[in-house]
Amino acid sequence: MTANIETPRDLDSFNPAMVGGVGLFRTEFAYMERSGFPTLEEQRSVYKEIVDHFEGKPVVFRTLDVGNDKRLRYFDMPPEQNPALGWRGIRMSLEWQDLFLIQIQAIVAAHDEGEVRILLPMLTVVEELREAKALMEKALGSDAQRVLVGAMIEVPAAAMALKDIAQEADFVSVGTNDLTQYLFAVDRDNTRVSSLYQPYHPANLRVLRFIAKTCRQFDCPVSVCGEMAGQRAGALFLAGSGYQALSMGVGFVPEIKALLAQTTLKDLVALSRQAAGCRTREEAVSLLREAAAAAWEGVLANS
Ligand code: PEP
Ligand code: MG
């Protein structure tokens, strides 16, 4: 189990011994809280604070994912008709290579203190992964070998091309928040259509099982860092689907740890298969909810 972190402030009351490291550091907050793009040194000092706190445990830094819902007040993004489908994440990094490379250098510079990994958001095709890795090699030389580079799977096309991506990425992390949005063609922040945003619909559950299975086939470590990982029903389903690590907001860690301790892998594997075989969201949700309630009874009985 690993933690999702947005700023060093998230660490104020968090004991790093609770987790195996950081599965998602959302670096955009280091950009949002300033009045201009942070320098290499400013970034390095934020990243190093996180790496130091976790004392040698791996820390996954997601490269800048602004655009759509995440804006920088000092940077007027060009207006777009469909920003969620537009210029964001790795698309922006590959076009604004200076910005990308300063960030990569800052992350690698935090490396002396512990293990760092780089996660590329909004990857759509394997060519983007290749291009990012080539840029890193050009800018960092042999230092590029010191970091693992992972693919964030949030776009359905990337999920369907996973057999190619998993062979070239060092690890995969699934962003279920965006994956659900793009799979259901529903804006995750639009209340008008929010009833169709259904992470527990069997259509989504089947995609999540497919991703875990494909990564296993190609020996590519796979985890989930979207909100589902920190939800009781989601954690049970994902653990049973073959995800090797779940990354969640630090507030969810104790509860999900206690919950999973009440289960067996064999039962979770069966639960995952059954949930994905349901026809409707309601059926899958009631199945998973029942399993979560039973496991939670065990937590309460032992506390
Ligand atoms: C996700 O999309 O699941 C994710 C973890 O990224 P964010 O919520 O920051 O877009
Ligand atoms: Mg996302």
Side-chain angles (χ1 to χ4, degrees), residues 119-125 129 150-163 165-166 169 171-180 182 207-208 210-211 215 222-226 243:
L119 181 62
L120 305 172
M122 282 295 292
L123 207 77
T124 309
V125 292
L129 173 62
M152 198 160 174
I153 301 300
E154 311 180 89
V155 177
M160 296 319 291
L162 195 55
K163 109 180 176 2
I165 293 172
F171 64 98
V172 156
S173 181
V174 184
T176 50
N177 309 337
D178 274 314
L179 185 60
T180 308
Y182 295 124
V207 171
L208 291 170
F210 170 80
I211 294 172
C215 285
V222 64
S223 57
V224 171
C225 61
Y243 286 92

Side-chain angles (χ1 to χ4, degrees), residues 4 6 24 26 28-29 62 65 69-70 88 121 152-154 173-179 188 197 224-227:
N4 289 357
E6 296 181 353
L24 173 68
R26 290 180 161 101
E28 49 278 1
F29 290 87
R62 177 176 74 184
D65 186 20
D69 54 324
K70 302 179 192 92
R88 57 170 296 198
M152 198 160 174
I153 301 300
E154 311 180 89
S173 181
V174 184
T176 50
N177 309 337
D178 274 314
L179 185 60
R188 66 194 243 193
Y197 184 91
V224 171
C225 61
E227 302 301 323

Side-chain angles (χ1 to χ4, degrees), residues 219-293:
D219 249 345
C220 182
V222 64
S223 57
V224 171
C225 61
E227 302 301 323
M228 273 180 97
Q231 297 166 352
R232 292 180 192 176
L236 296 186
F237 171 78
L238 294 166
S241 302
Y243 286 92
Q244 295 145 353
L246 303 181
S247 199
M248 62 200 72
V250 294
F252 302 111
V253 169
E255 177 177 312
I256 298 298
K257 244 185 156 171
L259 188 79
L260 289 174
Q262 295 300 317
T263 62
T264 66
L265 187 57
K266 187 166 166 268
D267 287 347
L268 294 182
V269 167
L271 177 69
S272 159
R273 189 176 306 120
Q274 212 185 337
C278 290
R279 287 206 170 166
T280 63
R281 176 194 164 276
E282 284 66 30
E283 283 173 34
V285 164
S286 82
L287 187 75
L288 291 168
R289 217 178 250 159
E290 223 170 89

